[in-house]
Amino acid sequence: MKRIYLIGLLAALVLVAACGKQNKQETDNHGAHGGQSQVASPSASSAGEHGEAHGEKHASETKKLETNAVWKWSEETLKSRENTLITVQIHDMDGKVIEEFDINHEKKLHLIAVSKDLSYFDHIHPEYKGNGHFEITTSFPSGGDYKLFADYIPTGGSATTKSEWIKVEGLAAEQVPIKPSDEHSVIVDGVEITLENNHPEAGKEIELNFKLSDAKSKDPITDLEPYLGAVGHVVILSEDTEQYLHVHPMEEKAKGPDAKFMTTFPNTGVYKIWGQFQRNGKTFISPFVVEVK
Ligand SMILES: [Cu+2]
Protein backbone atom coordinates (compact mmCIF):
# COMPACT_ATOMS: atom_id res chain seq x y z
CA MET A 1 0.00 0.00 0.00
CA LYS A 2 2.76 2.35 1.05
CA ARG A 3 4.81 1.49 -2.01
CA ILE A 4 1.93 2.18 -4.37
CA TYR A 5 1.41 5.52 -2.70
CA LEU A 6 5.10 6.36 -3.20
CA ILE A 7 5.05 5.38 -6.87
CA GLY A 8 1.96 7.50 -7.32
CA LEU A 9 3.66 10.45 -5.68
CA LEU A 10 6.75 10.00 -7.84
CA ALA A 11 4.65 9.89 -10.99
CA ALA A 12 2.84 13.01 -9.89
CA LEU A 13 6.16 14.78 -9.28
CA VAL A 14 7.45 13.85 -12.74
CA LEU A 15 4.23 15.17 -14.23
CA VAL A 16 4.50 18.44 -12.34
CA ALA A 17 8.12 18.86 -13.46
CA ALA A 18 7.15 18.25 -17.09
CA CYS A 19 4.29 20.70 -16.87
CA GLY A 20 6.58 23.26 -15.32
CA LYS A 21 8.89 23.01 -18.29
CA GLN A 22 6.07 23.42 -20.73
CA ASN A 23 4.72 26.44 -18.88
CA LYS A 24 8.09 28.07 -19.02
CA GLN A 25 8.28 27.58 -22.76
CA GLU A 26 4.87 29.10 -23.18
CA THR A 27 5.92 32.06 -21.07
CA ASP A 28 8.98 32.58 -23.23
CA ASN A 29 7.03 32.28 -26.46
CA HIS A 30 4.07 34.46 -25.70
CA GLY A 31 5.27 36.59 -22.85
CA ALA A 32 1.75 36.42 -21.49
CA HIS A 33 2.74 35.88 -17.89
CA GLY A 34 4.76 38.96 -17.23
CA GLY A 35 4.22 38.66 -13.52
CA GLN A 36 5.90 35.28 -13.16
CA SER A 37 9.33 36.63 -12.57
CA GLN A 38 10.62 33.48 -10.84
CA VAL A 39 10.11 31.53 -14.04
CA ALA A 40 11.60 34.17 -16.30
CA SER A 41 14.63 34.93 -14.14
CA PRO A 42 17.20 32.26 -15.20
CA SER A 43 16.73 32.90 -18.92
CA ALA A 44 16.87 36.64 -18.39
CA SER A 45 20.24 36.60 -16.66
CA SER A 46 21.83 34.21 -19.15
CA ALA A 47 20.61 36.26 -22.10
CA GLY A 48 22.17 39.35 -20.62
CA GLU A 49 25.63 37.84 -20.48
CA HIS A 50 25.88 37.73 -24.25
CA GLY A 51 26.44 41.38 -24.92
CA GLU A 52 26.79 40.78 -28.65
CA ALA A 53 23.18 39.72 -28.98
CA HIS A 54 21.68 42.94 -27.79
CA GLY A 55 21.66 44.74 -31.12
CA GLU A 56 19.53 42.03 -32.70
CA LYS A 57 17.32 41.97 -29.67
CA HIS A 58 16.20 45.56 -30.16
CA ALA A 59 15.10 44.79 -33.70
CA SER A 60 13.06 41.73 -32.78
CA GLU A 61 11.27 43.31 -29.84
CA THR A 62 7.63 43.76 -30.69
CA LYS A 63 5.99 43.59 -27.26
CA LYS A 64 5.30 46.85 -25.55
CA LEU A 65 5.98 47.06 -21.87
CA GLU A 66 5.70 50.66 -20.72
CA THR A 67 7.49 51.60 -17.53
CA ASN A 68 7.96 54.63 -15.37
CA ALA A 69 10.71 55.77 -13.02
CA VAL A 70 10.23 57.48 -9.66
CA TRP A 71 13.30 59.40 -8.52
CA LYS A 72 14.15 60.27 -4.92
CA TRP A 73 17.12 61.80 -3.17
CA SER A 74 18.05 61.49 0.48
CA GLU A 75 18.56 65.22 1.15
CA GLU A 76 15.76 67.75 0.98
CA THR A 77 18.21 70.37 -0.27
CA LEU A 78 21.08 69.09 -2.33
CA LYS A 79 24.40 70.87 -1.95
CA SER A 80 27.27 70.77 -4.40
CA ARG A 81 30.19 68.50 -3.48
CA GLU A 82 28.09 66.76 -0.83
CA ASN A 83 27.05 63.14 -1.11
CA THR A 84 23.44 62.31 -1.71
CA LEU A 85 21.72 58.96 -2.12
CA ILE A 86 19.77 58.82 -5.35
CA THR A 87 17.15 56.12 -5.76
CA VAL A 88 15.27 55.13 -8.90
CA GLN A 89 12.19 52.95 -8.62
CA ILE A 90 10.95 51.34 -11.85
CA HIS A 91 7.35 50.20 -12.18
CA ASP A 92 4.82 49.59 -14.91
CA MET A 93 2.02 52.00 -15.77
CA ASP A 94 -0.27 50.35 -13.19
CA GLY A 95 2.30 51.01 -10.48
CA LYS A 96 3.40 47.38 -10.29
CA VAL A 97 7.10 46.92 -9.58
CA ILE A 98 9.30 45.78 -12.49
CA GLU A 99 11.55 43.01 -11.18
CA GLU A 100 13.53 41.89 -14.19
CA PHE A 101 15.87 43.90 -16.36
CA ASP A 102 17.94 42.80 -19.34
CA ILE A 103 21.63 43.37 -18.95
CA ASN A 104 22.71 45.92 -21.53
CA HIS A 105 26.37 46.90 -21.87
CA GLU A 106 27.08 44.80 -18.76
CA LYS A 107 24.62 46.71 -16.53
CA LYS A 108 20.93 46.63 -15.67
CA LEU A 109 20.72 50.41 -15.47
CA HIS A 110 22.98 53.20 -16.65
CA LEU A 111 22.63 56.60 -15.02
CA ILE A 112 23.81 59.64 -16.93
CA ALA A 113 24.01 63.02 -15.18
CA VAL A 114 24.58 66.24 -17.13
CA SER A 115 24.57 69.90 -16.21
CA LYS A 116 22.05 72.06 -18.04
CA ASP A 117 24.74 73.48 -20.35
CA LEU A 118 26.02 69.93 -21.00
CA SER A 119 29.52 70.91 -19.85
CA TYR A 120 29.41 68.38 -17.01
CA PHE A 121 28.87 64.69 -17.80
CA ASP A 122 28.84 61.71 -15.48
CA HIS A 123 28.06 58.06 -16.25
CA ILE A 124 27.46 55.89 -13.21
CA HIS A 125 25.84 52.56 -12.35
CA PRO A 126 23.40 52.39 -9.44
CA GLU A 127 23.25 49.11 -7.57
CA TYR A 128 20.19 46.93 -8.11
CA LYS A 129 18.53 46.18 -4.78
CA GLY A 130 15.68 44.07 -6.21
CA ASN A 131 11.99 44.96 -6.61
CA GLY A 132 12.77 47.50 -9.33
CA HIS A 133 14.82 49.58 -6.90
CA PHE A 134 18.22 51.04 -7.85
CA GLU A 135 20.38 53.29 -5.69
CA ILE A 136 23.70 55.10 -5.74
CA THR A 137 25.51 57.66 -3.65
CA THR A 138 26.92 60.50 -5.72
CA SER A 139 27.68 64.22 -5.66
CA PHE A 140 27.59 67.16 -8.05
CA PRO A 141 30.56 69.49 -8.61
CA SER A 142 28.76 72.85 -8.47
CA GLY A 143 25.40 74.51 -7.97
CA GLY A 144 22.81 74.51 -10.74
CA ASP A 145 20.34 72.29 -12.54
CA TYR A 146 21.31 68.80 -13.60
CA LYS A 147 19.38 66.29 -15.64
CA LEU A 148 19.51 62.62 -14.74
CA PHE A 149 18.79 59.88 -17.27
CA ALA A 150 18.06 56.27 -16.34
CA ASP A 151 18.75 53.98 -19.29
CA TYR A 152 17.45 50.40 -18.94
CA ILE A 153 15.61 47.54 -20.64
CA PRO A 154 12.75 46.02 -18.64
CA THR A 155 12.68 42.31 -19.51
CA GLY A 156 9.97 41.89 -22.13
CA GLY A 157 10.17 45.57 -23.05
CA SER A 158 12.53 47.70 -25.09
CA ALA A 159 15.34 50.17 -24.42
CA THR A 160 13.91 52.88 -22.17
CA THR A 161 15.18 56.26 -21.03
CA LYS A 162 13.54 58.14 -18.17
CA SER A 163 14.81 61.47 -16.94
CA GLU A 164 14.44 63.91 -14.06
CA TRP A 165 15.81 67.36 -13.30
CA ILE A 166 17.63 67.85 -10.01
CA LYS A 167 18.49 71.18 -8.41
CA VAL A 168 21.77 71.54 -6.58
CA GLU A 169 22.54 74.45 -4.26
CA GLY A 170 26.00 75.98 -4.23
CA LEU A 171 28.34 78.13 -6.24
CA ALA A 172 27.41 77.79 -9.91
CA ALA A 173 30.03 76.98 -12.52
CA GLU A 174 30.46 79.29 -15.47
CA GLN A 175 28.00 78.42 -18.24
CA VAL A 176 29.66 77.00 -21.32
CA PRO A 177 27.91 77.65 -24.65
CA ILE A 178 27.10 74.51 -26.64
CA LYS A 179 28.65 75.29 -29.99
CA PRO A 180 29.49 72.93 -32.84
CA SER A 181 33.20 73.17 -33.31
CA ASP A 182 35.14 73.21 -36.57
CA GLU A 183 37.75 71.12 -34.85
CA HIS A 184 36.85 67.48 -35.09
CA SER A 185 39.60 66.37 -32.74
CA VAL A 186 40.09 66.53 -29.00
CA ILE A 187 43.08 65.52 -26.91
CA VAL A 188 42.36 63.68 -23.68
CA ASP A 189 45.02 62.03 -21.51
CA GLY A 190 47.56 62.10 -24.33
CA VAL A 191 45.16 60.53 -26.82
CA GLU A 192 43.94 62.43 -29.84
CA ILE A 193 40.40 61.47 -30.75
CA THR A 194 38.98 62.49 -34.12
CA LEU A 195 35.31 62.11 -34.88
CA GLU A 196 34.93 61.23 -38.54
CA ASN A 197 31.76 61.33 -40.61
CA ASN A 198 30.35 63.98 -38.38
CA HIS A 199 28.07 65.72 -40.82
CA PRO A 200 24.91 63.96 -39.80
CA GLU A 201 21.49 64.45 -41.33
CA ALA A 202 18.26 64.19 -39.37
CA GLY A 203 16.46 60.86 -39.68
CA LYS A 204 19.34 59.15 -41.51
CA GLU A 205 21.32 56.37 -39.91
CA ILE A 206 24.94 57.41 -39.57
CA GLU A 207 28.18 55.71 -38.65
CA LEU A 208 30.18 57.72 -36.13
CA ASN A 209 33.83 56.78 -36.31
CA PHE A 210 36.12 57.78 -33.47
CA LYS A 211 39.74 57.52 -34.63
CA LEU A 212 42.28 57.35 -31.82
CA SER A 213 45.97 58.13 -32.02
CA ASP A 214 48.79 59.08 -29.70
CA ALA A 215 48.64 62.88 -29.42
CA LYS A 216 52.45 63.23 -29.62
CA SER A 217 53.68 60.52 -31.96
CA LYS A 218 50.42 60.32 -33.98
CA ASP A 219 50.76 56.52 -33.85
CA PRO A 220 47.41 54.77 -34.05
CA ILE A 221 46.06 53.50 -30.74
CA THR A 222 45.49 49.74 -30.92
CA ASP A 223 45.32 48.79 -27.27
CA LEU A 224 41.88 49.97 -26.25
CA GLU A 225 40.38 47.80 -23.53
CA PRO A 226 36.74 46.76 -23.44
CA TYR A 227 34.63 49.30 -21.61
CA LEU A 228 31.20 47.98 -20.60
CA GLY A 229 31.82 44.97 -22.82
CA ALA A 230 32.60 46.90 -25.99
CA VAL A 231 35.22 49.06 -27.69
CA GLY A 232 33.61 52.08 -26.09
CA HIS A 233 30.37 53.61 -24.94
CA VAL A 234 28.72 56.60 -26.57
CA VAL A 235 26.02 58.88 -25.17
CA ILE A 236 24.34 61.56 -27.29
CA LEU A 237 22.02 64.33 -26.12
CA SER A 238 20.31 67.12 -28.00
CA GLU A 239 21.18 70.66 -26.92
CA ASP A 240 17.85 71.01 -25.11
CA THR A 241 18.42 67.60 -23.40
CA GLU A 242 15.11 66.32 -24.82
CA GLN A 243 16.63 63.68 -27.09
CA TYR A 244 18.73 60.91 -25.56
CA LEU A 245 20.08 58.69 -28.31
CA HIS A 246 20.88 55.01 -28.11
CA VAL A 247 24.09 54.14 -29.85
CA HIS A 248 25.38 50.73 -30.88
CA PRO A 249 29.00 49.75 -31.45
CA MET A 250 29.66 48.19 -34.87
CA GLU A 251 32.52 45.92 -33.80
CA GLU A 252 32.37 45.37 -30.09
CA LYS A 253 35.74 43.62 -29.96
CA ALA A 254 37.69 46.36 -31.76
CA LYS A 255 40.77 47.71 -29.94
CA GLY A 256 41.34 50.80 -32.05
CA PRO A 257 42.40 52.89 -33.81
CA ASP A 258 38.77 52.98 -35.05
CA ALA A 259 35.76 52.77 -32.79
CA LYS A 260 32.58 52.80 -34.87
CA PHE A 261 29.04 53.34 -33.69
CA MET A 262 25.67 53.57 -35.43
CA THR A 263 22.93 55.98 -34.52
CA THR A 264 20.16 58.11 -36.00
CA PHE A 265 19.67 61.74 -35.03
CA PRO A 266 15.89 62.29 -34.95
CA ASN A 267 15.82 66.05 -35.65
CA THR A 268 18.01 68.83 -36.92
CA GLY A 269 19.87 70.90 -34.35
CA VAL A 270 22.90 70.79 -32.09
CA TYR A 271 23.84 67.62 -30.24
CA LYS A 272 26.60 66.76 -27.81
CA ILE A 273 28.36 63.41 -28.10
CA TRP A 274 30.43 61.80 -25.36
CA GLY A 275 32.61 58.86 -26.36
CA GLN A 276 33.97 56.85 -23.47
CA PHE A 277 36.97 54.60 -23.94
CA GLN A 278 39.33 52.64 -21.75
CA ARG A 279 43.07 52.15 -21.92
CA ASN A 280 45.61 50.99 -19.33
CA GLY A 281 42.74 50.41 -16.90
CA LYS A 282 41.64 54.04 -17.09
CA THR A 283 38.55 55.41 -18.80
CA PHE A 284 38.52 58.72 -20.61
CA ILE A 285 35.77 60.80 -22.16
CA SER A 286 35.93 62.63 -25.48
CA PRO A 287 33.22 65.28 -25.93
CA PHE A 288 32.10 66.55 -29.33
CA VAL A 289 29.40 68.99 -30.39
CA VAL A 290 27.88 68.45 -33.83
CA GLU A 291 25.21 70.12 -35.86
CA VAL A 292 22.63 67.87 -37.49
CA LYS A 293 21.22 69.23 -40.73
CU1 LIG B 1 26.53 52.72 -18.05
Side-chain angles (χ1 to χ4, degrees), residues 104-105 107 109-112 123-125 227-228 233 276:
N104 183 28
H105 299 291
K107 303 288 175 184
L109 186 142
H110 302 261
L111 198 159
I112 305 295
H123 176 181
I124 50 181
H125 300 108
Y227 173 61
L228 297 170
H233 193 270
Q276 291 184 275

PDB file of all heavy atoms in Angstrom, residues 104-105 107 109-112 123-125 227-228 233 276, ligand 1:
ATOM      1  N   ASN A 104      22.351  45.208 -20.314  1.00  0.00           N
ATOM      2  CA  ASN A 104      22.706  45.921 -21.533  1.00  0.00           C
ATOM      3  C   ASN A 104      24.038  46.623 -21.285  1.00  0.00           C
ATOM      4  O   ASN A 104      24.164  47.360 -20.312  1.00  0.00           O
ATOM      5  CB  ASN A 104      21.601  46.940 -21.849  1.00  0.00           C
ATOM      6  CG  ASN A 104      21.837  47.671 -23.135  1.00  0.00           C
ATOM      7  OD1 ASN A 104      22.479  47.155 -24.054  1.00  0.00           O
ATOM      8  ND2 ASN A 104      21.326  48.887 -23.214  1.00  0.00           N
ATOM      9  N   HIS A 105      25.022  46.353 -22.121  1.00  0.00           N
ATOM     10  CA  HIS A 105      26.366  46.897 -21.873  1.00  0.00           C
ATOM     11  C   HIS A 105      26.803  46.597 -20.438  1.00  0.00           C
ATOM     12  O   HIS A 105      27.216  47.483 -19.685  1.00  0.00           O
ATOM     13  CB  HIS A 105      26.432  48.399 -22.140  1.00  0.00           C
ATOM     14  CG  HIS A 105      26.119  48.759 -23.552  1.00  0.00           C
ATOM     15  ND1 HIS A 105      26.941  48.451 -24.610  1.00  0.00           N
ATOM     16  CD2 HIS A 105      25.047  49.361 -24.095  1.00  0.00           C
ATOM     17  CE1 HIS A 105      26.403  48.864 -25.739  1.00  0.00           C
ATOM     18  NE2 HIS A 105      25.240  49.411 -25.464  1.00  0.00           N
ATOM     19  N   LYS A 107      25.323  46.161 -17.695  1.00  0.00           N
ATOM     20  CA  LYS A 107      24.616  46.705 -16.530  1.00  0.00           C
ATOM     21  C   LYS A 107      23.107  46.647 -16.726  1.00  0.00           C
ATOM     22  O   LYS A 107      22.615  46.685 -17.848  1.00  0.00           O
ATOM     23  CB  LYS A 107      25.024  48.169 -16.294  1.00  0.00           C
ATOM     24  CG  LYS A 107      26.514  48.388 -16.104  1.00  0.00           C
ATOM     25  CD  LYS A 107      26.985  47.877 -14.768  1.00  0.00           C
ATOM     26  CE  LYS A 107      28.516  47.992 -14.672  1.00  0.00           C
ATOM     27  NZ  LYS A 107      29.025  47.419 -13.427  1.00  0.00           N
ATOM     28  N   LEU A 109      21.156  49.016 -15.341  1.00  0.00           N
ATOM     29  CA  LEU A 109      20.716  50.411 -15.475  1.00  0.00           C
ATOM     30  C   LEU A 109      21.942  51.317 -15.547  1.00  0.00           C
ATOM     31  O   LEU A 109      22.882  51.169 -14.767  1.00  0.00           O
ATOM     32  CB  LEU A 109      19.825  50.791 -14.287  1.00  0.00           C
ATOM     33  CG  LEU A 109      19.157  52.170 -14.345  1.00  0.00           C
ATOM     34  CD1 LEU A 109      17.734  52.094 -13.776  1.00  0.00           C
ATOM     35  CD2 LEU A 109      19.940  53.218 -13.569  1.00  0.00           C
ATOM     36  N   HIS A 110      21.915  52.203 -16.517  1.00  0.00           N
ATOM     37  CA  HIS A 110      22.978  53.201 -16.646  1.00  0.00           C
ATOM     38  C   HIS A 110      22.383  54.543 -16.241  1.00  0.00           C
ATOM     39  O   HIS A 110      21.279  54.896 -16.662  1.00  0.00           O
ATOM     40  CB  HIS A 110      23.472  53.286 -18.089  1.00  0.00           C
ATOM     41  CG  HIS A 110      23.987  51.982 -18.615  1.00  0.00           C
ATOM     42  ND1 HIS A 110      25.325  51.669 -18.659  1.00  0.00           N
ATOM     43  CD2 HIS A 110      23.341  50.901 -19.086  1.00  0.00           C
ATOM     44  CE1 HIS A 110      25.476  50.450 -19.159  1.00  0.00           C
ATOM     45  NE2 HIS A 110      24.277  49.954 -19.425  1.00  0.00           N
ATOM     46  N   LEU A 111      23.106  55.273 -15.430  1.00  0.00           N
ATOM     47  CA  LEU A 111      22.629  56.596 -15.021  1.00  0.00           C
ATOM     48  C   LEU A 111      23.586  57.653 -15.567  1.00  0.00           C
ATOM     49  O   LEU A 111      24.786  57.605 -15.304  1.00  0.00           O
ATOM     50  CB  LEU A 111      22.538  56.673 -13.494  1.00  0.00           C
ATOM     51  CG  LEU A 111      21.662  57.798 -12.944  1.00  0.00           C
ATOM     52  CD1 LEU A 111      21.231  57.474 -11.515  1.00  0.00           C
ATOM     53  CD2 LEU A 111      22.352  59.143 -12.940  1.00  0.00           C
ATOM     54  N   ILE A 112      23.024  58.550 -16.367  1.00  0.00           N
ATOM     55  CA  ILE A 112      23.813  59.639 -16.933  1.00  0.00           C
ATOM     56  C   ILE A 112      23.361  60.927 -16.247  1.00  0.00           C
ATOM     57  O   ILE A 112      22.159  61.181 -16.129  1.00  0.00           O
ATOM     58  CB  ILE A 112      23.573  59.755 -18.459  1.00  0.00           C
ATOM     59  CG1 ILE A 112      23.842  58.423 -19.178  1.00  0.00           C
ATOM     60  CG2 ILE A 112      24.378  60.909 -19.060  1.00  0.00           C
ATOM     61  CD1 ILE A 112      25.263  57.933 -19.145  1.00  0.00           C
ATOM     62  N   HIS A 123      28.693  59.327 -15.858  1.00  0.00           N
ATOM     63  CA  HIS A 123      28.062  58.057 -16.251  1.00  0.00           C
ATOM     64  C   HIS A 123      28.336  57.061 -15.128  1.00  0.00           C
ATOM     65  O   HIS A 123      29.470  56.668 -14.926  1.00  0.00           O
ATOM     66  CB  HIS A 123      28.688  57.615 -17.589  1.00  0.00           C
ATOM     67  CG  HIS A 123      28.211  56.292 -18.078  1.00  0.00           C
ATOM     68  ND1 HIS A 123      28.670  55.731 -19.235  1.00  0.00           N
ATOM     69  CD2 HIS A 123      27.321  55.406 -17.577  1.00  0.00           C
ATOM     70  CE1 HIS A 123      28.081  54.565 -19.435  1.00  0.00           C
ATOM     71  NE2 HIS A 123      27.264  54.340 -18.436  1.00  0.00           N
ATOM     72  N   ILE A 124      27.282  56.730 -14.387  1.00  0.00           N
ATOM     73  CA  ILE A 124      27.464  55.887 -13.206  1.00  0.00           C
ATOM     74  C   ILE A 124      26.460  54.725 -13.215  1.00  0.00           C
ATOM     75  O   ILE A 124      25.515  54.723 -14.016  1.00  0.00           O
ATOM     76  CB  ILE A 124      27.334  56.711 -11.890  1.00  0.00           C
ATOM     77  CG1 ILE A 124      26.056  57.564 -11.907  1.00  0.00           C
ATOM     78  CG2 ILE A 124      28.571  57.566 -11.683  1.00  0.00           C
ATOM     79  CD1 ILE A 124      25.863  58.418 -10.662  1.00  0.00           C
ATOM     80  N   HIS A 125      26.678  53.761 -12.356  1.00  0.00           N
ATOM     81  CA  HIS A 125      25.840  52.558 -12.346  1.00  0.00           C
ATOM     82  C   HIS A 125      25.287  52.275 -10.960  1.00  0.00           C
ATOM     83  O   HIS A 125      25.974  51.694 -10.133  1.00  0.00           O
ATOM     84  CB  HIS A 125      26.641  51.368 -12.886  1.00  0.00           C
ATOM     85  CG  HIS A 125      27.101  51.598 -14.286  1.00  0.00           C
ATOM     86  ND1 HIS A 125      28.404  51.846 -14.611  1.00  0.00           N
ATOM     87  CD2 HIS A 125      26.397  51.693 -15.436  1.00  0.00           C
ATOM     88  CE1 HIS A 125      28.490  52.057 -15.915  1.00  0.00           C
ATOM     89  NE2 HIS A 125      27.285  51.981 -16.428  1.00  0.00           N
ATOM     90  N   TYR A 227      35.285  48.494 -22.637  1.00  0.00           N
ATOM     91  CA  TYR A 227      34.626  49.301 -21.614  1.00  0.00           C
ATOM     92  C   TYR A 227      33.146  48.960 -21.698  1.00  0.00           C
ATOM     93  O   TYR A 227      32.530  49.108 -22.755  1.00  0.00           O
ATOM     94  CB  TYR A 227      34.880  50.791 -21.856  1.00  0.00           C
ATOM     95  CG  TYR A 227      34.093  51.691 -20.940  1.00  0.00           C
ATOM     96  CD1 TYR A 227      34.283  51.626 -19.560  1.00  0.00           C
ATOM     97  CD2 TYR A 227      33.153  52.577 -21.430  1.00  0.00           C
ATOM     98  CE1 TYR A 227      33.548  52.440 -18.709  1.00  0.00           C
ATOM     99  CE2 TYR A 227      32.419  53.387 -20.602  1.00  0.00           C
ATOM    100  CZ  TYR A 227      32.618  53.315 -19.235  1.00  0.00           C
ATOM    101  OH  TYR A 227      31.880  54.108 -18.393  1.00  0.00           O
ATOM    102  N   LEU A 228      32.586  48.457 -20.623  1.00  0.00           N
ATOM    103  CA  LEU A 228      31.201  47.978 -20.603  1.00  0.00           C
ATOM    104  C   LEU A 228      30.973  46.966 -21.721  1.00  0.00           C
ATOM    105  O   LEU A 228      29.971  46.996 -22.415  1.00  0.00           O
ATOM    106  CB  LEU A 228      30.212  49.140 -20.692  1.00  0.00           C
ATOM    107  CG  LEU A 228      30.260  50.115 -19.516  1.00  0.00           C
ATOM    108  CD1 LEU A 228      29.438  51.357 -19.799  1.00  0.00           C
ATOM    109  CD2 LEU A 228      29.772  49.437 -18.230  1.00  0.00           C
ATOM    110  N   HIS A 233      31.781  53.348 -25.236  1.00  0.00           N
ATOM    111  CA  HIS A 233      30.372  53.614 -24.943  1.00  0.00           C
ATOM    112  C   HIS A 233      30.096  55.050 -25.351  1.00  0.00           C
ATOM    113  O   HIS A 233      30.893  55.933 -25.037  1.00  0.00           O
ATOM    114  CB  HIS A 233      30.113  53.409 -23.447  1.00  0.00           C
ATOM    115  CG  HIS A 233      28.672  53.348 -23.089  1.00  0.00           C
ATOM    116  ND1 HIS A 233      27.936  54.446 -22.759  1.00  0.00           N
ATOM    117  CD2 HIS A 233      27.836  52.291 -23.012  1.00  0.00           C
ATOM    118  CE1 HIS A 233      26.692  54.068 -22.495  1.00  0.00           C
ATOM    119  NE2 HIS A 233      26.598  52.757 -22.630  1.00  0.00           N
ATOM    120  N   GLN A 276      33.201  57.302 -24.627  1.00  0.00           N
ATOM    121  CA  GLN A 276      33.975  56.849 -23.466  1.00  0.00           C
ATOM    122  C   GLN A 276      34.781  55.624 -23.864  1.00  0.00           C
ATOM    123  O   GLN A 276      34.236  54.664 -24.413  1.00  0.00           O
ATOM    124  CB  GLN A 276      33.046  56.499 -22.307  1.00  0.00           C
ATOM    125  CG  GLN A 276      32.361  57.714 -21.709  1.00  0.00           C
ATOM    126  CD  GLN A 276      31.531  57.308 -20.512  1.00  0.00           C
ATOM    127  OE1 GLN A 276      30.397  56.892 -20.651  1.00  0.00           O
ATOM    128  NE2 GLN A 276      32.110  57.428 -19.335  1.00  0.00           N
TER     129      GLN A 276
HETATM  130 CU    CU B   1      26.531  52.717 -18.046  1.00  0.00          CU
END
